[in-house]
Amino acid sequence: ELKVEQNPLFLSMQEGKNYTIYCNYSTTSDRLYWYRQDPGKSLESLFVLLSNGAVKQEGRLMASLDTKARLSTLHITAAVHDLSATYFCAVDMGAQKLVFGQGTRLTINP
Amino acid sequence: DTGVSQDPRHKITKRGQNVTFRCDPISEHNRLYWYRQTLGQGPEFLTYFQNEAQLEKSRLLSDRFSAERPKGSFSTLEIQRTEQGDSAMYLCASSYRGRSYEQYFGPGTRLTVT
């Protein structure tokens, strides 16, 4: 059974700082997704990583994938308050059926 | 609006009642997925369709749950004899097999069983 673990689960940081969220998964997969969720809202797609070594960047967020280590990271650069949300990674277990991590609740303080 | 839509957005029902949710995927998307999300957790896969065929159901989907996608367009998820443990956000997502790997989520239906 595919398991996806994120850490940390809670992260409180100051504006302007950098930090990384880690996503480990237990079985082989070549596709990994990152989503953002605001309280009471649905999921917003951030990145789809399709192969080993894939790196994607959008604004202050950068995601990478190492399929050999079964690890993805989401790096936040110079955080701003608007990035406060819960971030989920999800692994494709075939046919785009996604297994999600527990989520990382990120709070960015002024 | 060309995104995934779901109806209703909120549903409050009494234990034992039946409820039905609807999902309209992005036009021309041939895959449709249902997930369930409880408070503080990530979404969990329930079932998915490719066109009108239901190809897989999670073991989370008990016999009280049934899903359909007639004609490969919108989908419905019905829960019979609801229980308090069914209270959750039910999310629908769609994608286009063979084009992009993006999976787009709808706004969800929040079910509260009293």
Side-chain angles (χ1 to χ4, degrees), chain A residues 33 35 42 45 95-97, chain B residues 33 35 37 56 101-103 106:
Chain A
Y33 297 70
Y35 287 90
S42 188
S45 177
Q96 294 175 271
K97 304 181 304 270
Chain B
Y33 305 81
Y35 294 84
Q37 185 178 26
E56 188 167 334
Y101 292 101
E102 290 277 0
Q103 187 167 140

Side-chain angles (χ1 to χ4, degrees), chain B residues 29-47:
Chain B
H29 275 193
N30 52 13
R31 282 183 171 170
L32 186 149
Y33 305 81
W34 285 98
Y35 294 84
R36 179 173 67 189
Q37 185 178 26
T38 53
L39 201 60
Q41 302 297 315
E44 296 173 294
F45 168 77
L46 293 178
T47 188

Side-chain angles (χ1 to χ4, degrees), chain A residues 32-95:
Chain A
L32 189 134
Y33 297 70
W34 284 96
Y35 287 90
R36 167 182 173 147
Q37 188 174 41
D38 292 299
K41 306 291 186 181
S42 188
L43 294 139
E44 175 190 351
S45 177
L46 296 175
F47 302 108
V48 183
L49 302 170
L50 299 178
S51 61
N52 186 41
V55 177
K56 290 194 174 180
Q57 183 164 5
E58 181 73 33
R60 301 175 187 274
L61 301 178
M62 182 173 72
S64 66
L65 177 62
D66 182 342
T67 58
K68 294 179 181 177
R70 299 175 187 164
L71 171 68
S72 180
T73 60
L74 180 67
H75 187 73
I76 302 152
T77 301
V80 294
H81 179 70
D82 286 352
L83 290 179
S84 296
T86 298
Y87 293 85
F88 291 96
C89 65
V91 177
D92 186 344
M93 56 176 174

